[in-house]
Amino acid sequence: MRHWLRLARAVDRLNDWIYAAIRWLTLAMIAVGAYNALARYANRWTDTQLAPNALFDLQWYMFSLVFLLGAAYGLNHDVHVRVDALYARMSPRARVWIDLLGTALFVVPFSVVALLMSWPAVHNSWVIREVSSDPGGLARYPIKAVILVCFALLLLQGVAVVIEKVALIRLGEEGMESMTPEDAPAARRQRMEGV
């Protein structure tokens, strides 16, 4: 089981590294959005185009990168939106089972289906080298490829969560007490101590 947990830790580290790289895009996206908003008002008073379409595309592309590449990070750190009305009242063991079943039955299959369904559109976009329909807009095919990367990362993270939850179930409460912090992926070390 330890080699599977090492694999899960590697996936956790990969998604943490990606998050560290993309989190600064949020600040850049806000700066570009603020410039676009100010330039739009300035365009009303002048006859010049201060905010070209490429900047509007760039703002949406940065948002897409943060959203798509951050999905697996969100799963890793359990920050996705969920209805906690019943979940919060359950025992830690029941929560582990719900996380395992939810991930194995929904996240992993959804990621596989999304990869399969997205592939034709992304492939076609690359074949025709799709660009924005707006004059002076950016190329669309690179950002569409990120859809595949997103669901591949989400699939990997889903598998990592399944591995970790199976390890928790197999170890049980007695085994959890003897488990060292290095045995548990960083994102779930604290929660695992309560099982």
Coordinates of all heavy atoms in Angstrom, one line a residue, residues 7-64:
L7 N 2.5 7.2 -4.8 CA 1.9 7.7 -6.1 C 0.9 8.8 -5.8 O 0.9 9.9 -6.4 CB 1.3 6.6 -6.8 CG 0.5 7.0 -8.1 CD1 1.4 7.5 -9.2 CD2 -0.3 5.8 -8.6
A8 N 0.1 8.6 -4.8 CA -0.9 9.6 -4.4 C -0.3 10.9 -4.0 O -0.7 12.0 -4.3 CB -1.9 9.1 -3.3
R9 N 0.8 10.8 -3.2 CA 1.5 12.0 -2.8 C 2.2 12.7 -3.9 O 2.2 13.9 -4.0 CB 2.6 11.6 -1.8 CG 2.1 11.4 -0.4 CD 3.3 11.5 0.6 NE 4.3 10.4 0.4 CZ 4.2 9.2 0.8 NH1 3.1 8.8 1.5 NH2 5.1 8.3 0.6
A10 N 2.6 12.0 -4.9 CA 3.2 12.6 -6.1 C 2.2 13.4 -6.9 O 2.4 14.5 -7.3 CB 3.9 11.5 -7.0
V11 N 1.0 12.8 -7.0 CA -0.1 13.5 -7.7 C -0.5 14.8 -6.9 O -0.7 15.9 -7.4 CB -1.4 12.6 -7.9 CG1 -2.6 13.4 -8.4 CG2 -1.0 11.5 -8.8
D12 N -0.6 14.7 -5.5 CA -0.9 15.8 -4.7 C 0.2 16.9 -4.9 O -0.2 18.1 -5.0 CB -0.9 15.4 -3.2 CG -2.0 14.6 -2.8 OD1 -3.0 14.5 -3.6 OD2 -2.0 13.9 -1.7
R13 N 1.5 16.5 -4.9 CA 2.5 17.5 -5.1 C 2.4 18.2 -6.5 O 2.6 19.4 -6.6 CB 3.9 16.9 -4.9 CG 4.3 16.7 -3.5 CD 5.7 16.3 -3.3 NE 6.1 15.1 -4.1 CZ 6.0 13.9 -3.7 NH1 5.6 13.6 -2.5 NH2 6.4 12.9 -4.5
L14 N 2.1 17.4 -7.5 CA 1.9 18.0 -8.8 C 0.9 19.0 -8.9 O 1.1 20.1 -9.4 CB 1.6 16.8 -9.9 CG 1.2 17.3 -11.3 CD1 2.4 18.0 -12.0 CD2 0.7 16.2 -12.1
N15 N -0.3 18.7 -8.3 CA -1.4 19.7 -8.3 C -1.1 20.9 -7.4 O -1.5 22.0 -7.7 CB -2.7 19.0 -8.0 CG -3.2 18.2 -9.1 OD1 -3.2 18.7 -10.3 ND2 -3.6 16.9 -8.9
D16 N -0.4 20.7 -6.3 CA 0.0 21.8 -5.5 C 1.0 22.7 -6.2 O 0.9 23.9 -6.1 CB 0.7 21.3 -4.2 CG -0.3 20.8 -3.2 OD1 -1.6 21.0 -3.4 OD2 0.1 20.1 -2.2
W17 N 1.9 22.1 -7.0 CA 2.9 22.9 -7.8 C 2.2 23.7 -8.9 O 2.5 24.8 -9.1 CB 3.9 21.9 -8.4 CG 4.9 22.7 -9.2 CD1 6.0 23.3 -8.8 CD2 4.9 22.8 -10.7 NE1 6.7 23.9 -9.9 CE2 6.0 23.6 -11.0 CE3 4.0 22.4 -11.6 CZ2 6.2 24.0 -12.3 CZ3 4.2 22.8 -13.0 CH2 5.3 23.5 -13.3
I18 N 1.2 23.1 -9.5 CA 0.4 23.8 -10.6 C -0.3 24.9 -9.9 O -0.4 26.0 -10.5 CB -0.5 22.8 -11.3 CG1 0.3 21.9 -12.2 CG2 -1.5 23.6 -12.1 CD1 -0.5 20.7 -12.8
Y19 N -0.9 24.7 -8.8 CA -1.6 25.8 -8.1 C -0.7 26.9 -7.8 O -1.0 28.1 -7.9 CB -2.3 25.3 -6.8 CG -2.8 26.4 -6.0 CD1 -4.0 27.1 -6.3 CD2 -2.1 26.8 -4.8 CE1 -4.4 28.1 -5.5 CE2 -2.6 27.8 -4.0 CZ -3.8 28.5 -4.4 OH -4.2 29.5 -3.6
A20 N 0.5 26.6 -7.3 CA 1.5 27.7 -7.0 C 1.8 28.5 -8.2 O 2.1 29.7 -8.1 CB 2.7 27.1 -6.3
A21 N 1.8 27.8 -9.4 CA 2.2 28.5 -10.6 C 1.0 29.4 -11.1 O 1.2 30.4 -11.7 CB 2.6 27.5 -11.7
I22 N -0.2 28.9 -10.9 CA -1.4 29.6 -11.5 C -2.0 30.7 -10.6 O -2.7 31.5 -11.1 CB -2.5 28.7 -12.0 CG1 -3.1 27.9 -10.9 CG2 -2.0 27.8 -13.1 CD1 -4.3 27.2 -11.2
R23 N -1.7 30.6 -9.3 CA -2.4 31.5 -8.4 C -2.1 33.0 -8.7 O -2.9 33.8 -8.5 CB -2.2 31.2 -7.0 CG -0.7 31.4 -6.5 CD -0.6 31.0 -5.1 NE 0.8 31.0 -4.8 CZ 1.3 30.6 -3.6 NH1 0.5 30.1 -2.7 NH2 2.6 30.6 -3.4
W24 N -0.9 33.2 -9.3 CA -0.6 34.6 -9.6 C -1.3 35.1 -10.9 O -1.4 36.3 -11.1 CB 1.0 34.7 -9.8 CG 1.7 34.4 -8.6 CD1 2.4 33.3 -8.2 CD2 1.7 35.3 -7.4 NE1 2.9 33.4 -6.9 CE2 2.5 34.6 -6.4 CE3 1.2 36.6 -7.1 CZ2 2.7 35.2 -5.2 CZ3 1.5 37.1 -5.9 CH2 2.2 36.4 -4.9
L25 N -1.9 34.1 -11.6 CA -2.7 34.5 -12.8 C -3.9 35.3 -12.3 O -4.5 36.1 -13.0 CB -3.1 33.3 -13.6 CG -2.0 32.7 -14.5 CD1 -2.6 31.5 -15.2 CD2 -1.6 33.8 -15.5
T26 N -4.4 35.0 -11.1 CA -5.6 35.7 -10.6 C -5.3 37.2 -10.5 O -6.1 38.0 -10.9 CB -6.0 35.1 -9.2 OG1 -6.2 33.7 -9.4 CG2 -7.3 35.7 -8.7
L27 N -4.2 37.5 -9.9 CA -3.8 38.9 -9.8 C -3.6 39.6 -11.2 O -4.1 40.7 -11.4 CB -2.5 39.1 -9.0 CG -2.0 40.5 -8.7 CD1 -3.1 41.2 -7.8 CD2 -0.7 40.4 -7.9
A28 N -3.0 38.9 -12.1 CA -2.8 39.4 -13.5 C -4.1 39.5 -14.2 O -4.4 40.5 -14.9 CB -1.9 38.5 -14.3
M29 N -5.0 38.6 -13.9 CA -6.4 38.7 -14.5 C -7.1 39.9 -14.0 O -7.8 40.6 -14.8 CB -7.1 37.4 -14.2 CG -8.6 37.4 -14.7 SD -9.4 35.9 -14.2 CE -9.4 36.0 -12.4
I30 N -7.0 40.2 -12.7 CA -7.7 41.3 -12.2 C -7.1 42.6 -12.8 O -7.8 43.6 -13.1 CB -7.6 41.3 -10.6 CG1 -8.4 40.2 -10.1 CG2 -8.0 42.7 -10.0 CD1 -8.1 39.9 -8.6
A31 N -5.8 42.7 -12.9 CA -5.1 43.9 -13.5 C -5.6 44.1 -15.0 O -5.9 45.2 -15.3 CB -3.6 43.7 -13.4
V32 N -5.6 43.0 -15.7 CA -6.1 43.1 -17.1 C -7.5 43.5 -17.2 O -7.9 44.3 -18.0 CB -5.8 41.8 -17.9 CG1 -6.4 41.8 -19.3 CG2 -4.3 41.6 -18.1
G33 N -8.4 42.9 -16.3 CA -9.8 43.2 -16.3 C -10.0 44.7 -15.9 O -10.9 45.4 -16.5
A34 N -9.3 45.2 -14.9 CA -9.4 46.6 -14.5 C -9.0 47.5 -15.7 O -9.7 48.5 -15.9 CB -8.5 46.9 -13.3
Y35 N -7.9 47.2 -16.3 CA -7.5 48.0 -17.5 C -8.6 47.9 -18.6 O -8.9 49.0 -19.2 CB -6.2 47.5 -18.1 CG -5.8 48.2 -19.3 CD1 -5.2 49.5 -19.3 CD2 -6.1 47.7 -20.6 CE1 -4.9 50.2 -20.5 CE2 -5.8 48.3 -21.8 CZ -5.2 49.6 -21.7 OH -5.0 50.3 -22.8
N36 N -9.1 46.8 -18.9 CA -10.2 46.7 -19.9 C -11.4 47.5 -19.5 O -12.0 48.1 -20.4 CB -10.6 45.2 -20.1 CG -9.6 44.4 -20.8 OD1 -8.7 44.9 -21.6 ND2 -9.6 43.1 -20.7
A37 N -11.8 47.5 -18.2 CA -12.9 48.3 -17.8 C -12.7 49.8 -18.0 O -13.5 50.5 -18.5 CB -13.3 47.9 -16.4
L38 N -11.5 50.2 -17.5 CA -11.2 51.6 -17.6 C -11.0 52.0 -19.1 O -11.5 53.1 -19.5 CB -9.9 51.9 -16.9 CG -9.9 51.8 -15.3 CD1 -8.6 51.9 -14.7 CD2 -10.9 52.8 -14.8
A39 N -10.4 51.2 -19.9 CA -10.2 51.5 -21.3 C -11.6 51.5 -22.0 O -11.8 52.3 -23.0 CB -9.3 50.5 -22.0
R40 N -12.5 50.7 -21.6 CA -13.9 50.8 -22.3 C -14.5 52.1 -22.0 O -15.1 52.7 -22.9 CB -14.7 49.6 -21.7 CG -15.9 49.4 -22.5 CD -16.7 48.1 -22.0 NE -15.8 47.3 -21.2 CZ -16.2 46.5 -20.2 NH1 -17.5 46.5 -19.9 NH2 -15.4 45.8 -19.4
Y41 N -14.4 52.7 -20.8 CA -15.0 54.0 -20.6 C -14.2 55.1 -21.3 O -14.8 56.0 -21.8 CB -15.0 54.3 -19.1 CG -16.1 53.5 -18.3 CD1 -15.7 52.5 -17.5 CD2 -17.4 53.8 -18.6 CE1 -16.7 51.7 -16.8 CE2 -18.4 53.0 -17.9 CZ -18.0 52.0 -17.0 OH -19.0 51.3 -16.4
A42 N -12.9 54.9 -21.4 CA -12.1 55.9 -22.1 C -12.4 55.8 -23.6 O -12.3 56.9 -24.3 CB -10.6 55.6 -21.9
N43 N -12.7 54.7 -24.1 CA -13.1 54.6 -25.5 C -14.3 55.4 -25.9 O -14.5 55.9 -27.0 CB -13.4 53.1 -25.9 CG -12.1 52.3 -26.0 OD1 -11.0 52.8 -26.0 ND2 -12.3 51.0 -25.9
R44 N -15.2 55.6 -24.9 CA -16.4 56.4 -25.1 C -16.1 57.9 -25.3 O -16.8 58.6 -26.0 CB -17.4 56.2 -23.9 CG -18.0 54.9 -23.8 CD -18.9 54.8 -22.7 NE -19.4 53.4 -22.6 CZ -20.2 53.0 -21.6 NH1 -20.5 53.8 -20.6 NH2 -20.6 51.7 -21.5
W45 N -15.0 58.3 -24.6 CA -14.6 59.7 -24.7 C -13.6 60.0 -25.8 O -13.4 61.2 -26.2 CB -14.1 60.2 -23.4 CG -15.0 60.0 -22.2 CD1 -16.3 60.4 -22.2 CD2 -14.7 59.4 -21.0 NE1 -16.9 60.0 -21.0 CE2 -15.9 59.5 -20.2 CE3 -13.6 58.9 -20.4 CZ2 -16.0 59.0 -18.9 CZ3 -13.7 58.4 -19.1 CH2 -14.9 58.5 -18.4
T46 N -13.0 59.0 -26.3 CA -12.0 59.2 -27.4 C -12.4 58.3 -28.6 O -13.2 57.5 -28.5 CB -10.6 58.9 -26.9 OG1 -10.5 57.5 -26.6 CG2 -10.2 59.6 -25.7
D47 N -11.7 58.6 -29.7 CA -12.0 57.8 -30.9 C -10.9 56.7 -31.0 O -10.8 56.1 -32.1 CB -11.9 58.7 -32.1 CG -13.1 59.6 -32.2 OD1 -14.2 59.2 -31.6 OD2 -13.1 60.7 -32.8
T48 N -10.2 56.4 -30.0 CA -9.2 55.4 -30.1 C -9.6 54.1 -29.4 O -10.5 54.1 -28.5 CB -7.8 55.8 -29.4 OG1 -8.1 56.1 -28.0 CG2 -7.3 57.1 -30.1
Q49 N -9.0 53.0 -29.8 CA -9.3 51.7 -29.2 C -8.2 51.4 -28.2 O -7.1 50.9 -28.6 CB -9.4 50.6 -30.3 CG -9.6 49.2 -29.9 CD -11.1 49.0 -29.4 OE1 -11.9 49.8 -29.6 NE2 -11.3 47.9 -28.7
L50 N -8.4 51.7 -26.9 CA -7.4 51.5 -25.9 C -7.4 50.1 -25.4 O -6.4 49.7 -24.9 CB -7.7 52.4 -24.7 CG -7.6 53.9 -25.0 CD1 -7.9 54.7 -23.8 CD2 -6.2 54.3 -25.5
A51 N -8.4 49.3 -25.6 CA -8.5 47.9 -25.1 C -8.7 47.0 -26.3 O -9.9 46.8 -26.7 CB -9.5 47.7 -24.0
P52 N -7.7 46.5 -26.9 CA -7.9 45.6 -28.1 C -8.6 44.3 -27.7 O -8.6 43.9 -26.5 CB -6.5 45.4 -28.6 CG -5.6 45.6 -27.5 CD -6.3 46.6 -26.6
N53 N -9.2 43.7 -28.6 CA -9.9 42.4 -28.4 C -9.0 41.3 -27.8 O -9.4 40.5 -27.0 CB -10.5 41.9 -29.6 CG -11.7 42.7 -30.0 OD1 -12.4 43.3 -29.2 ND2 -12.0 42.8 -31.3
A54 N -7.7 41.4 -28.1 CA -6.7 40.4 -27.6 C -6.7 40.5 -26.0 O -6.5 39.5 -25.3 CB -5.4 40.6 -28.1
L55 N -6.8 41.7 -25.5 CA -6.8 41.8 -24.0 C -8.1 41.3 -23.4 O -8.0 40.7 -22.3 CB -6.6 43.3 -23.6 CG -5.2 43.9 -23.7 CD1 -5.1 45.3 -23.3 CD2 -4.2 43.0 -22.9
F56 N -9.2 41.4 -24.0 CA -10.4 40.8 -23.5 C -10.3 39.3 -23.6 O -10.7 38.6 -22.6 CB -11.6 41.2 -24.3 CG -12.0 42.7 -24.1 CD1 -11.9 43.6 -25.1 CD2 -12.5 43.1 -22.9 CE1 -12.2 44.9 -24.9 CE2 -12.9 44.4 -22.7 CZ -12.7 45.3 -23.7
D57 N -9.7 38.8 -24.7 CA -9.5 37.3 -24.8 C -8.5 36.9 -23.7 O -8.7 35.8 -23.0 CB -8.9 36.9 -26.1 CG -10.0 36.9 -27.2 OD1 -11.2 37.1 -26.9 OD2 -9.6 36.8 -28.4
L58 N -7.5 37.6 -23.5 CA -6.4 37.3 -22.5 C -7.0 37.2 -21.1 O -6.7 36.3 -20.3 CB -5.3 38.3 -22.5 CG -4.2 38.1 -21.5 CD1 -3.5 36.8 -21.8 CD2 -3.2 39.2 -21.5
Q59 N -7.9 38.1 -20.8 CA -8.6 38.1 -19.4 C -9.4 36.8 -19.3 O -9.3 36.1 -18.2 CB -9.5 39.3 -19.3 CG -10.3 39.4 -18.0 CD -11.2 40.5 -18.0 OE1 -11.3 41.4 -18.8 NE2 -12.1 40.6 -16.9
W60 N -10.1 36.4 -20.3 CA -10.9 35.2 -20.2 C -10.0 33.9 -20.2 O -10.3 32.9 -19.6 CB -12.0 35.1 -21.3 CG -13.1 36.0 -21.0 CD1 -13.4 37.2 -21.5 CD2 -14.1 35.8 -20.0 NE1 -14.5 37.8 -20.9 CE2 -14.9 36.9 -20.0 CE3 -14.3 34.8 -19.1 CZ2 -16.0 37.1 -19.1 CZ3 -15.4 34.9 -18.2 CH2 -16.2 36.1 -18.2
Y61 N -8.9 34.0 -20.9 CA -8.0 32.9 -21.0 C -7.4 32.6 -19.6 O -7.2 31.5 -19.2 CB -6.9 33.0 -22.0 CG -7.4 32.9 -23.5 CD1 -8.8 32.9 -23.8 CD2 -6.6 32.8 -24.5 CE1 -9.2 32.7 -25.1 CE2 -7.0 32.7 -25.8 CZ -8.3 32.6 -26.1 OH -8.8 32.5 -27.4
M62 N -7.0 33.7 -18.9 CA -6.4 33.6 -17.6 C -7.4 33.0 -16.6 O -7.1 32.2 -15.8 CB -5.8 34.9 -17.1 CG -4.5 35.3 -17.8 SD -3.7 36.8 -17.1 CE -4.8 38.1 -17.6
F63 N -8.7 33.5 -16.7 CA -9.7 33.0 -15.9 C -9.9 31.5 -16.1 O -10.0 30.7 -15.2 CB -11.0 33.7 -16.1 CG -12.2 33.0 -15.4 CD1 -12.4 33.2 -14.0 CD2 -13.1 32.2 -16.1 CE1 -13.4 32.6 -13.4 CE2 -14.1 31.6 -15.4 CZ -14.3 31.8 -14.1
S64 N -9.9 31.1 -17.4 CA -10.0 29.7 -17.8 C -8.9 28.8 -17.2 O -9.1 27.7 -16.7 CB -10.1 29.5 -19.3 OG -11.2 30.2 -19.8

